[in-house]
Amino acid sequence: MEFRKFDSDKDVTEFVLHNTELFEPDTQLTVSEIGDGNINFIYRVGQPGGDSVIVKQALPYVRIIGEGWPLSQDRVRIEAETLQYEGSHCPDLVPTVYHFDADLCAIVMEDIGQHENLRHALIARRRLPNLASDLGRFLADTLYHSSDLHLDSHAKKELVKSYINPDLCKITEELFFWDPYCDHERNSINPHLRPYAEQLWADDALKLEVYKLKRQFLCDAEALLHGDLHAGSVFASGSGTKVIDPEFAYVGPIGFDIGSILGNFLLNYAGQANLPGDLAERRDYQAWLLDSVETLWNTFAERFYIHMREKTQDPSFNNEIYRTWYLDKLFADTLGYAGTEMIRRTIGLAHVADIESIEDPQSRANSEKLALRIGCELIMARDQIIDVEALAQRIRRIS
Ligand code: SR1
Ligand code: MG
């Protein structure tokens, strides 16, 4: 069958009814288009007041740009397979995939509508008790089991092969590691921040470190990454967490995933300096964000270390000094990628509402300056910050 975009509600409901057994065949379903992302079309399909599912369809281009930015639809196969892989290790932390259709480039999956998008939750200063430990567990379990520490040599190479994702990787290569470090037409810069962006473009020492992180992103096939683990890719509630949207998945450096999500906690930290609301409440929330960063990293590190010590087939990991060196390296990579996420979300193409929703441009620039300062520091000092407590201290000092 040839690809065609769903062109009516009936088209979408028939797709669900024909391909799943979740509803009786004659059920009247309603459809609403709920996508607010940059790339795809997302529909909620369900019985009014009853069960519902999500349908995601990938078009051959970037939704917000149009046909001028073509994009491989293989991304939706990669997303479906990644969700299934992640679900095999953390079934409670990802939506269940009910059906994947390669011709229509569409997935039917569990509706996680009872959870809130993490970005909105962070902006509203909600405290989510399980969030940081859930994310640490998600990262440790999905990354460890897709790395050379766990897989045998042939299985690992097969994994690399089936997750070759050049179009989506190219977006990251450009938007993370190139555009923000020059006066690129895709950048979007608050006029009050422009002198600081220009200063950054002239900072050769910083750019050298970013080139090194980019080299690692291009070459370091360490584990199967989610590939786009920002706050918009996480949904959370008081009782649980769901990670969605792994269409950027590929086999890359472990620190990229951990750094991306930590960078988003810190972007919210920078936003809280100037978001509306009581100052004491915002400061308390910043403290909660730093605690969450610590819990996330510590949960990841403890779990990953136990996997290394108890499960790996690679005899190198019988050596404790090597295990510790490996975790220290992951921490430094994490800090570097957190820094690049913060910088690209501040002066690059895709900004975040945590800062963008600050109405007054001068106050927004103050949060943006803080994000740039933290981002640069994480990149430049990533080999000197010895642990996550030292990281939190350093951030408190900067702000
Ligand atoms: C054109 S895509 C812009 C950004 O949206 C995605 O979610 C990724 O984060 C990408 O960098
Ligand atoms: Mg996305």
Side-chain angles (χ1 to χ4, degrees), residues 228 230 233 245 247:
D228 193 24
H230 58 89
S233 298
D245 222 9
E247 67 192 319

Side-chain angles (χ1 to χ4, degrees), residues 38-39 62 69 171 175 228 230 248 344-345 349-350:
N38 295 322
I39 302 184
V62 176
W69 191 336
I171 291 180
L175 298 191
D228 193 24
H230 58 89
F248 283 70
R344 73 107 172 191
R345 296 289 188 186
L349 171 76

Side-chain angles (χ1 to χ4, degrees), residues 313-344:
Q313 305 301 311
D314 180 347
S316 333
F317 288 92
N318 294 334
N319 180 326
E320 203 216 316
I321 299 172
Y322 182 57
R323 289 197 297 263
T324 305
W325 172 87
Y326 196 96
L327 258 190
D328 288 347
K329 170 84 180 104
L330 292 186
F331 186 59
D333 294 350
T334 294
L335 299 186
Y337 289 118
T340 56
E341 170 70 348
M342 295 186 75
I343 292 173
R344 73 107 172 191

Side-chain angles (χ1 to χ4, degrees), residues 83 86 92-95 112 134-135 138 226 229 233-235 241-246:
L83 284 171
E86 292 166 346
D92 58 321
L93 297 180
V94 290
I112 51 160
D134 281 350
L135 289 172
F138 173 82
H226 175 285
L229 195 51
S233 298
V234 177
F235 278 68
T241 308
K242 298 278 182 188
V243 178
I244 63 160
D245 222 9

Side-chain angles (χ1 to χ4, degrees), residues 58 101 105 114-115 207 238 273 280 371 378:
D101 189 305
C105 303
Q114 70 280 20
H115 296 71
K207 289 197 284 187
L378 296 188

